[in-house]
Amino acid sequence: MKTHTPSPRQIPLDDAWDVVVVGGGPAGCAAAAAAARDGARTLLIEATGALGGMGTGGLVPSWTPFTDKQRFIYGGIARHVFETCRAGMPHIAPDACDWVPIDPELLKRIYDDLVLDAGARVLFNTHLSAVERDPATDRVNAIIVTNKSGLSALAARVFVDCTGDADLCAWAGAPFQKGDADGGRLMPATHCFIFSNVDTGALAAGPLLHFSNPDSPIYLIARDNKNYPLLDDTHICHSVLGPRTVGFNAGHIWEVDNTRPETVSDALIRGRKMAAQFLAALKEHCPDAFGEAFLAATAPLMGIRETRRIDGDYTLTLDDYIARRGFADEIARNCYYIDIHWAKDAVPLDHDTQNAWEQSCMHYGAGESHGIPCRCLMPRQLANVLVAGRAISCDQAVQSSIRVMPACLSTGEAAGTAAAMAAQRDGDIRKVDTSALRLRLAGAGAWLPGLPAGLIKPNPLNPTHQKT
């Protein structure tokens, strides 16, 4: 037996990368794939053991709509991921685009292939631990990460923060916003789960189990919840994931802040108990569908809707959303509705929360969308960092719209493409030619009004890129 004696050593430095992406959710996967596609030596670090974030580890059961009822709004890598996932689910219509269910195991493999086929490298079970920023240049020189090898430093020309919580930016000292304008209240979290052995025929034939239907049993359960005390609101959505298998995005857990681990730990415990109570309640109130069902899985990840939002070179506002505003430097379009889940002390006092919520949603009409400027991806006071996903620069109302997975994929692809362009020079993100960036994104399939789309279809990845 060989004896190993630990010895003091300096933190090793890995400086082999042009672009390092932190966070392997939809935004991070798209960013890493896009950067590697365009020739950048790219590393993606992910804290868990799988890519995909909320669609995989979070068990969110369906995609939000990919179209504006007239065209695909989220093109390029976003459309590639969506259509590949849809094609692998035989019970889904081949032309379905709105609220399409997600097979989380299939989606994990799709993201693996997306990132690796582009030529990027992935490190799982690796956590961001610290950030080294040069205050004289506003450049992040390196990040410190932790995994089973211990501490190590990663240097790159450009970093892309796809943590969802703007951890890299915040720890580098960049300014950010958090919560609403009235005390920083955060939207509640949701812990998703899966039931199996459900009679999906009976489920389809019975009362629609959805919070928009006043005849849904969830209203009775929430009103008379003596037996199910954790089920105190009517939020419930479901999707049939496969044979006799149903995924749920249901319930709210308030006062959860993903930047405070103790609140997330408490929420995960509560969420698992809520899933069990949902099963018991549905067995009682919908026995035809759920009488023989069992709880197959609760999500490893808590469903977090918001935490930090960077202060960027431009802040997208509700006025921009209402005006359907376009921008000269827009790198993506978005058409999802305003979807604010109220903080607990902000729920309307008249208890008619469903009507009040629907009035607040601001649904767009067919063919309507707004632009997302590249400047929203550029954090103030950082020269070589881009941000993608739910933490881009916007107010809380707009964040409730752009936080969904299709938009995260689109901003991720834009950030990764811009990072590769910046890395070809000195890493300064503000020297990127946004006109050239927009042409590159449109060529890869992004829909940007006025630009020819899809010059590199159907595969958004560069098939000539040599893996390293």
Side-chain angles (χ1 to χ4, degrees), residues 21 31 46 55 86 126 130 178 189 191 193 205 209 215 217 222 245 268 343 349-350 403 407 431 447:
V21 180
E46 164 56 30
R86 181 182 63 186
T126 299
K178 194 174 179 183
H191 196 202
F193 51 90
L209 192 63
D215 295 325
T245 304
L268 286 165
L349 297 178
D350 62 5
R403 65 178 165 79
K431 293 180 182 178
W447 182 70

Side-chain angles (χ1 to χ4, degrees), residues 357-369:
W357 178 81
E358 288 179 348
Q359 291 171 12
S360 74
C361 285
M362 299 186 186
H363 289 269
Y364 279 167
E368 295 182 330
S369 61

